[in-house]
């Protein structure tokens, strides 16, 4: 079972030791690590091991149901919206107060603890401060600073690291049957983000979108180029978000109407049906907004990798390039920019990411960034 967690041997040893020795257990754990490191995978594996009579065999009913989220005593919260609100947090607190029904523990996994609103975090704090016997909280976040200090001070911290590129490539070959050369490219281009590496390895359209993004630095020369580049980045996010969400939204709407006993073809619906549909549409809109922002953020990470490679090339540092497939672009950017200018470009991308995270209109943030990325004359 732990084989799903790539390049995280210290984490596996810590969690396995807690499963084997009840005196090493605690009621609240905080799992942190960079995107793609496997935080949620680690949490699900830990939850399965806690329920497994053999401590995590990976094949028994307890392991399989815990891993796929259907175990009666394992609750997994993975928000698709921009935040986790106080109402859901209060529901989790009530769930955490219940005794396990079939397993050894009641385990509550919050995959996006960094998205808890302030009110939600304070509501959850009560459950963490006053632990219930045989209830375990597993909170996942990118870093310690993404969780309020009162929660992290009452949780045991386990930090995951970025897995090695070779380990991610090996996983793609072993688990997904990807060609070794493609797996090596995808793992390197994704910078060891396992989910993105799998998408790049299996989706030609995703590889094409990434190639478009990482080719931009050599094309931004004037103001017009900067505006066009920003529009391209925004369009890529909208396209990917729309493609992935439209079909799912339609299925969810149809299923909702079926549960309510409403006629999907009817022009007018009863008030209670209209209210439920409106609530679903709001949730879907929030999910689409979050997904579009996540796509933009990942695009900016890819863009940063080009300037990082150019800086490595300019300084002659003996470090492997991320973007070996576009080496002419990297060479061009390294040639026309000084080291200081490359660092300023990386800073400009970082500022754009922060602005978008703080709800600045993405297109405005991208335009300001692209203006700062213009090639020197």
């Amino acid at each position: 079972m732990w084989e799903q967690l790539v390049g995280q041997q210290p984490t596996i040893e810590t969690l396995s030791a807690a499963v084997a020795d009840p005196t090493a257990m605690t009621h609240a754990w905080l799992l942190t690590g960079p995107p793609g490191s496997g935080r949620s995978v680690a949490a699900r594996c830990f939850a399965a091991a806690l329920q497994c009579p053999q401590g995590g065999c990976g094949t028994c009913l307890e392991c399989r149901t815990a891993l796929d989220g259907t175990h009666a005593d394992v609750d997994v919260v993975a928000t698709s919206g921009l935040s986790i609100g106080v109402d859901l947090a209060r529901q989790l607190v009530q769930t955490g107060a219940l005794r396990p029904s079939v397993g050894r523990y009641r385990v509550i996994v919050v995959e996006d603890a960094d998205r808890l609103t302030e009110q939600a975090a304070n509501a959850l704090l009560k459950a963490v401060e006053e632990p219930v016997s045989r209830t375990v909280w597993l909170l996942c976040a990118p870093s310690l600073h993404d969780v309020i200090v009162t929660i992290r001070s009452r949780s045991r911290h386990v930090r995951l690291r970025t897995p090695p590129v070779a380990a991610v490539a090996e996983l793609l070959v072993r688990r997904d049957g990807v060609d070794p050369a493609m797996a090596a490219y995808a793992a390197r281009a994704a910078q060891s983000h396992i989910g993105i590496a799998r998408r790049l390895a299996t989706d030609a359209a995703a590889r094409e979108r990434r190639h478009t993004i990482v080719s931009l630095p050599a094309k931004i020369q004037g103001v017009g180029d900067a505006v066009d580049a920003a529009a391209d980045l925004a369009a890529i996010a909208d396209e990917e978000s729309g493609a992935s969400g439209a079909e799912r939204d339609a299925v969810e709407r149809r299923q909702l109407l079926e549960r309510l006993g409403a006629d999907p073809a009817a022009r007018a619906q009863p008030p209670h049906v209209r209210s439920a549909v409106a609530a679903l549409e709001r949730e879907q809109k929030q999910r689409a907004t979050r997904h579009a922002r996540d796509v933009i953020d990942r695009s900016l990470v890819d863009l940063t990798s080009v300037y990082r490679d150019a800086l490595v090339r300019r300084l002659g540092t003996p470090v492997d390039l991320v973007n070996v497939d576009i080496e002419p672009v990297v060479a061009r950017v390294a040639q026309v920019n000084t080291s200081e200018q490359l660092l300023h470009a990386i800073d400009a991308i970082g500022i754009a990411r922060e602005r978008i995270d703080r709800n600045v209109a993405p297109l405005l943030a991208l335009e300001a960034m692209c203006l700062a990325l213009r090639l020197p004359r």
Side-chain angles (χ1 to χ4, degrees), residues 237-312:
D238 290 340
E239 178 186 351
E240 185 166 337
S241 178
S244 64
E247 184 176 348
R248 180 172 57 180
D249 290 351
V251 170
E252 288 177 346
R253 189 178 192 279
R254 184 173 65 253
Q255 291 175 342
L256 175 63
L257 293 175
E258 289 175 355
R259 287 199 303 270
L260 296 175
D263 180 8
R267 283 191 170 185
Q269 300 287 359
H272 74 284
V273 174
R274 293 200 302 271
S275 176
V277 170
L280 175 63
E281 289 175 346
R282 286 195 298 272
E283 181 181 338
Q284 290 174 339
K285 185 177 180 180
Q286 289 180 344
R287 182 172 63 202
T289 299
R290 174 188 167 178
H291 185 64
R293 290 183 181 180
D294 287 346
V295 172
I296 290 175
D297 191 70
R298 184 62 211 182
S299 299
L300 298 186
V301 170
D302 290 334
L303 204 59
T304 303
S305 71
V306 179
Y307 292 96
R308 173 263 188 198
D309 284 351
L311 189 60
V312 166

Side-chain angles (χ1 to χ4, degrees), residues 75-364:
D75 295 272
V76 180
V77 178
T79 181
S80 58
L82 296 174
S83 61
I84 299 175
V86 64
D87 291 338
L88 178 55
R90 287 170 178 161
Q91 291 175 22
L92 293 176
V93 171
Q94 292 176 355
T95 301
L98 302 175
R99 293 179 61 84
S101 56
V102 296
R104 295 192 298 168
Y105 295 94
R106 178 167 295 280
V107 184
I108 301 177
V109 180
V110 183
E111 292 189 352
D112 301 290
D114 54 308
R115 296 185 185 269
L116 289 163
T117 64
E118 184 177 355
Q119 282 186 315
N122 287 329
L124 208 62
L125 175 61
K126 181 176 176 61
V128 176
E129 281 183 325
E130 302 173 3
V132 176
S133 176
R134 297 173 66 190
T135 292
V136 179
W137 294 85
L138 305 181
L139 310 178
C140 305
S143 72
L144 281 173
H145 301 292
D146 292 311
V147 180
I148 62 173
V149 64
T150 45
I151 285 183
R152 65 176 185 250
S153 66
R154 290 163 175 79
S155 305
R156 182 172 175 183
H157 180 217
V158 176
R159 188 181 185 281
L160 284 75
R161 62 178 184 174
T162 300
V165 170
V168 175
E170 188 275 332
L171 175 68
L172 295 177
V173 173
R174 170 170 50 85
R175 185 189 66 185
D176 303 307
V178 176
D179 175 77
M182 176 60 72
Y185 155 77
R188 184 180 62 251
Q191 299 177 68
S192 294
H193 189 300
I194 298 171
I196 292 174
R198 183 178 184 277
R199 186 187 308 168
L200 288 174
T202 58
D203 186 349
R207 293 195 294 272
E208 182 62 30
R209 284 192 293 268
R210 185 184 186 279
H211 187 271
T212 299
I213 292 165
V214 296
S215 299
L216 287 176
K219 300 176 180 177
I220 306 175
Q221 298 185 19
V223 173
D225 297 329
V227 173
D228 290 343
D232 288 343
L233 289 169
I236 288 172
D238 290 340
E239 178 186 351
E240 185 166 337
S241 178
S244 64
E247 184 176 348
R248 180 172 57 180
D249 290 351
V251 170
E252 288 177 346
R253 189 178 192 279
R254 184 173 65 253
Q255 291 175 342
L256 175 63
L257 293 175
E258 289 175 355
R259 287 199 303 270
L260 296 175
D263 180 8
R267 283 191 170 185
Q269 300 287 359
H272 74 284
V273 174
R274 293 200 302 271
S275 176
V277 170
L280 175 63
E281 289 175 346
R282 286 195 298 272
E283 181 181 338
Q284 290 174 339
K285 185 177 180 180
Q286 289 180 344
R287 182 172 63 202
T289 299
R290 174 188 167 178
H291 185 64
R293 290 183 181 180
D294 287 346
V295 172
I296 290 175
D297 191 70
R298 184 62 211 182
S299 299
L300 298 186
V301 170
D302 290 334
L303 204 59
T304 303
S305 71
V306 179
Y307 292 96
R308 173 263 188 198
D309 284 351
L311 189 60
V312 166
R313 177 109 179 214
R314 187 168 187 87
L315 296 177
T317 308
V319 177
D320 293 336
L321 299 183
V322 173
N323 300 285
V324 177
D325 54 313
I326 57 157
E327 199 163 355
V329 173
V330 173
R332 165 73 172 154
V333 175
Q335 180 184 14
V336 301
N337 285 282
T338 65
S339 299
E340 184 179 4
Q341 288 169 331
L342 292 172
L343 289 172
H344 282 316
I346 292 173
D347 286 342
I349 298 173
I351 290 170
R353 294 179 67 190
E354 291 177 2
R355 286 172 173 169
I356 294 171
D357 187 56
R358 294 174 182 173
N359 292 325
V360 172
L363 185 57
L364 291 178

